Amino acid sequence: MKILISTDIEGVAGVFHPEQVRAGNPEYERARLLMAHEANAAIAGAFDAGATDVLVNDSHGGFRNMPPDVLDARAQAVMGKPRYLGMMAGVDDGVDAVCLIGYHSRAQGRGILAHTINSFAFAGVYFNGQELGEAGIYGALAGEFGVPVVMASGDDVFIEEHRPLFPHATFVQTKRATGQTSGISLSPAQACSAIRAGVAQALAVRAQASVFVLPGPIHVRIQTTSPAMADLFCQWPLLQRLDGVQVAFEADTVQSAVRMTNCLSAMSSMLR
């Protein structure tokens, strides 16, 4: 049994503020270790359940947050960018199930540090008319490879948003949101214990998990954060301008939609 663990940071216990998730801030150095410890808990849970191979995907920012020497040596680390499959890199390597650790709610949501891919550029991302956050987007990408999301952790708003997409998944709540940058958190030790148990439980019943599938073609609509951002994105001839802040494009597969969306995210740096 081969498992992919995709680990973000905003949903990690004890993480509440942008300074904790951006490199160059003193608090980030501690938060990246909290992220690694939750990844290790998921790795341990996978091996507890009989996994033979585990890939752990560093899925935040520049994709090189967790110190490799801190990660459980039994797992292999997927790090660095650019890469075609982004937060789901490794899912094409014969994986049987995916676990999402430290994930967060979508843009404009009420969860802690809520955003979708790039808070500077995107105020909302829709695939075939359905608004999706990062878990939904990349869960659909996993589904395109026939792989189910069996477990996910994050705050209560993240769980409420994503339970309908992954109805058979095991969810672990690491904290409760009381605002964009406030909430009530489990201790890191409690969160790691719950994640380890949650992964083991999810993998024990993974045969019951459904695959989240979005059939192509994929109509992508993006609500940008400003008319200037929409101006920039529509320099790409494949994009259609819908109004002052909304753009759209068509993609044949979820993978193509994800890759194009990530290219737009990279383009946005021109306006910083």
Side-chain angles (χ1 to χ4, degrees), residues 73-221:
R74 295 174 294 176
Q76 297 181 73
V78 182
M79 307 184 80
K81 64 174 19 176
R83 56 195 192 206
Y84 292 157
L85 302 183
M87 300 174 77
M88 203 48 61
V91 75
D92 56 341
D93 197 23
V95 166
D96 297 297
V98 169
C99 301
L100 308 177
I101 303 299
Y103 270 63
H104 51 81
S105 63
R106 61 179 177 251
Q108 309 301 308
R110 299 191 65 180
I112 296 164
L113 299 173
H115 67 281
T116 302
I117 299 175
N118 183 335
S119 59
F120 176 67
F122 304 144
V125 178
Y126 300 78
F127 280 20
N128 288 350
Q130 183 172 8
E131 185 175 11
L132 296 175
E134 291 167 21
I137 291 168
Y138 282 100
L141 181 54
E144 202 161 73
F145 287 89
V147 181
V149 172
V150 300
M151 183 272 178
S153 70
D155 70 21
D156 58 320
V157 179
F158 161 74
I159 293 172
E160 181 180 359
E161 286 178 1
H162 291 89
R163 197 182 294 279
L165 300 184
F166 314 122
H168 300 103
T170 298
F171 287 91
V172 171
Q173 182 178 318
T174 57
K175 51 193 174 184
R176 176 163 57 89
T178 58
Q180 178 76 10
T181 56
S182 66
I184 300 171
S185 178
L186 296 179
S187 70
Q190 287 177 312
C192 286
S193 179
I195 287 168
R196 181 171 183 170
V199 170
Q201 173 187 332
L203 294 179
V205 295
R206 67 180 176 85
Q208 302 174 17
S210 57
V211 177
F212 177 43
V213 176
L214 286 179
I218 308 298
H219 175 75
V220 180
R221 176 166 58 91

Side-chain angles (χ1 to χ4, degrees), residues 22-99:
R22 294 174 184 163
N25 294 292
E27 287 191 68
Y28 165 78
E29 295 302 324
R30 179 58 185 159
R32 70 194 296 211
L33 293 178
L34 297 177
M35 178 185 180
H37 294 328
E38 290 198 4
N40 281 341
I43 294 166
F47 281 109
D48 290 345
T52 54
D53 293 283
V54 175
L55 299 176
V56 59
N57 180 328
D58 190 320
S59 296
H60 174 68
F63 296 165
R64 48 185 181 86
N65 303 277
M66 298 181 290
D69 58 327
V70 174
L71 292 173
D72 189 320
R74 295 174 294 176
Q76 297 181 73
V78 182
M79 307 184 80
K81 64 174 19 176
R83 56 195 192 206
Y84 292 157
L85 302 183
M87 300 174 77
M88 203 48 61
V91 75
D92 56 341
D93 197 23
V95 166
D96 297 297
V98 169
C99 301

